[in-house]
Amino acid sequence: MTAVKEYMNTNLMTCEASDNLSEVAKCMREEDVGFVPIVENGKYAGVVTDRDIVVKGLAKGSPDNVKVSDIMTEKIITGSSDMEIAEAARLMQNHQIRRLLVVDQDTISGVVSVGDIGKQGSDEIAETS
């Protein structure tokens, strides 16, 4: 069976929970991503999406004055790098999420997206589902 670690993107940028929305938005623009894992004291604390910034963040005020911790999603669904990719795909489907944060021992190892799975292994996943 194929593990998540063979599909996941390990080249992730993270932001701190104490960062403001302007800082996170700039990082998203520079990296051309819409999803950023948030860390606090070296451990994952949540995630922020570009949609979170617009829908939750801008409603709270100036992006320079709103902290990521005020809008981040803290209860996130995670997987591990050794998890079978079919299990990760089912987890994403069951929770209706497009990205699964991969966490090993409270440390972010990477992220796997629906697109990653679709591009690399749709035939294999279909056989095991």
Side-chain angles (χ1 to χ4, degrees):
M1 293 293 167
T2 306
V4 166
K5 63 185 161 194
E6 296 178 38
Y7 290 81
M8 70 183 190
N9 178 359
T10 58
N11 187 21
L12 287 186
M13 136 194 106
T14 61
C15 289
E16 295 285 330
S18 59
D19 288 344
N20 67 43
L21 299 188
S22 291
E23 293 166 325
V24 176
K26 287 176 188 172
C27 289
M28 286 181 173
R29 183 185 66 219
E30 289 169 8
E31 297 293 321
D32 193 26
V33 296
F35 171 91
V36 176
I38 305 301
V39 295
E40 193 168 35
N41 300 320
K43 295 186 178 186
Y44 81 95
V47 297
V48 170
T49 65
D50 47 4
R51 187 174 192 279
D52 292 333
I53 291 173
V54 173
V55 174
K56 296 179 190 175
L58 295 181
K60 290 187 177 278
S62 168
D64 292 330
N65 297 328
V66 178
K67 298 292 181 203
V68 170
S69 59
D70 295 333
I71 67 157
M72 71 182 181
T73 301
E74 296 178 68
K75 294 181 182 181
I76 54 175
I77 306 302
T78 64
S80 70
S81 59
D82 292 330
M83 173 186 280
E84 290 187 22
I85 196 65
E87 182 182 349
R90 278 191 296 277
L91 189 63
M92 293 166 76
Q93 182 179 18
N94 291 344
H95 292 278
Q96 297 183 357
I97 55 175
R98 297 182 315 182
R99 300 172 195 95
L100 182 68
L101 194 60
V102 181
V103 176
D104 295 304
Q105 300 173 357
D106 288 333
T107 302
I108 299 169
S109 299
V111 66
V112 65
S113 71
V114 170
D116 295 332
I117 295 170
K119 282 190 278 188
Q120 296 182 25
S122 57
D123 292 336
E124 179 181 335
I125 292 166
E127 290 171 10
T128 60
S129 294

